[in-house]
Amino acid sequence: MAQLTTSAIVLRRADYRDNDRMLTLFSPTLGRIDALCRGCRRQKSPLMAASELFCSGEYVLYQTGERTTVVSCAVSESFYALRGDYERLAHGMYALELCAAAVQPAQENERLFLLLLRSLAHLCYSEIPPRRVTAVFLMGMTSLLGFRPQVGRCARCGKPIDAQGEGYVAAFSGEAGGVLCPACGAGEACRLTAQDVRYLQDIMRRGLKSLTDAQAGCPDALFDALRAMAEGKLDTPVRSGKLL
């Protein structure tokens, strides 16, 4: 039996019995944690906010055997404003579900935890198109899981990609793991302009710092390709992707 305190964010919740919930928490140091939150659905429960999706804070947990129970939580952020915008909420839920599939129990991943929190903050509080935020999140998450997308050279033949030409200069393949030169990318559905290639290179170089309020959303074909790449690496269906 042990009590521990950890930063965490709620990735999933499921009602349990009359007033309880089962939570899936993401801790930067402890990975994925499945925990019972007792009485949190009662109207005056101090754990009501702590059992909601997107809630992040300092969770005090009690472990006995294989069961973990939430004792208390000092809430630091609820991202409540997401609930007022369906599109941004859908993108936020998609990011949560991706992390729920990617993070393993007892697996430390502080960088992914911070990427998730900062991406949710952009979705919640900035005017940046949500598809652009999610595109950066997808590229960052894939890299942190050990599948860094190739954007400077062809992911198949290794030839440098020309990001200065006119019109369509390359293609993108999630299966190949990045940008393809015109020869290797012939027949690919996602074709890239020089501007698209520079956009991907900027994401890989600066991550979330590449986001500014003046930018347009991510092109549809490229966004779909980035989703396919990330979901393919996780090898699991992501149901909330249907909402995007």
Side-chain angles (χ1 to χ4, degrees):
M1 294 184 291
Q3 183 169 293
L4 57 92
T5 302
T6 181
S7 298
I9 182 170
V10 179
L11 300 180
R12 290 176 178 164
R13 68 170 198 184
D15 291 346
Y16 180 66
R17 294 179 178 171
D18 292 334
N19 297 298
D20 307 337
R21 277 185 179 143
M22 293 298 301
L23 306 180
T24 298
L25 304 174
F26 176 14
S27 162
T29 55
L30 302 174
R32 193 182 72 229
I33 304 170
D34 295 317
L36 175 64
C37 195
R38 295 184 183 277
C40 60
R41 293 162 60 201
R42 294 192 179 98
Q43 187 173 3
K44 296 184 179 181
S45 171
L47 292 175
M48 181 179 290
S51 68
E52 296 290 347
L53 289 175
F54 301 107
C55 179
S56 68
E58 287 290 317
Y59 283 77
V60 178
L61 307 173
Y62 183 76
Q63 293 182 317
T64 174
E66 297 183 355
R67 171 168 290 186
T68 302
T69 304
V70 177
V71 176
S72 64
C73 176
V75 176
S76 58
E77 179 60 81
S78 66
F79 300 107
Y80 186 81
L82 286 177
R83 294 159 176 80
D85 186 312
Y86 176 83
E87 184 180 11
R88 291 180 180 275
L89 176 63
H91 280 263
M93 293 184 67
Y94 182 64
L96 294 187
E97 190 172 354
L98 286 172
C99 286
V103 179
Q104 302 301 312
Q107 182 185 74
E108 179 180 352
N109 202 330
E110 184 172 1
R111 293 178 68 186
L112 180 57
F113 180 80
L114 292 175
L115 175 65
L116 175 61
L117 288 184
R118 291 167 182 170
S119 297
L120 292 175
H122 277 290
L123 288 173
C124 191
Y125 301 117
S126 78
E127 297 298 322
I128 299 169
R131 282 198 167 202
R132 202 161 189 111
V133 177
T134 300
V136 176
F137 176 80
L138 290 169
M139 293 279 280
M141 184 195 73
T142 306
S143 298
L144 292 174
L145 294 179
F147 306 103
R148 183 179 178 86
Q150 179 63 263
V151 297
R153 293 180 176 272
C154 177
R156 285 190 179 140
C157 71
K159 178 182 178 180
I161 300 296
D162 178 13
Q164 304 301 322
E166 296 293 333
Y168 292 104
V169 301
F172 190 92
S173 168
E175 182 180 358
V179 177
L180 302 178
C181 67
C184 294
E188 292 289 339
C190 180
R191 301 172 65 193
L192 303 177
T193 65
Q195 183 178 357
D196 294 333
V197 174
R198 291 194 298 271
Y199 162 57
L200 291 174
Q201 292 173 345
D202 191 39
I203 290 177
M204 293 307 299
R205 185 173 62 253
R206 298 196 296 143
L208 289 170
K209 292 181 180 179
S210 66
L211 296 173
T212 66
D213 289 348
Q215 292 171 327
C218 181
D220 290 346
L222 178 56
F223 183 77
D224 292 340
L226 292 175
R227 281 185 53 197
M229 177 181 66
E231 294 175 24
K233 299 303 182 184
L234 293 175
D235 194 26
T236 185
V238 184
R239 292 178 298 176
S240 57
K242 297 178 181 179
L243 303 176
L244 303 184

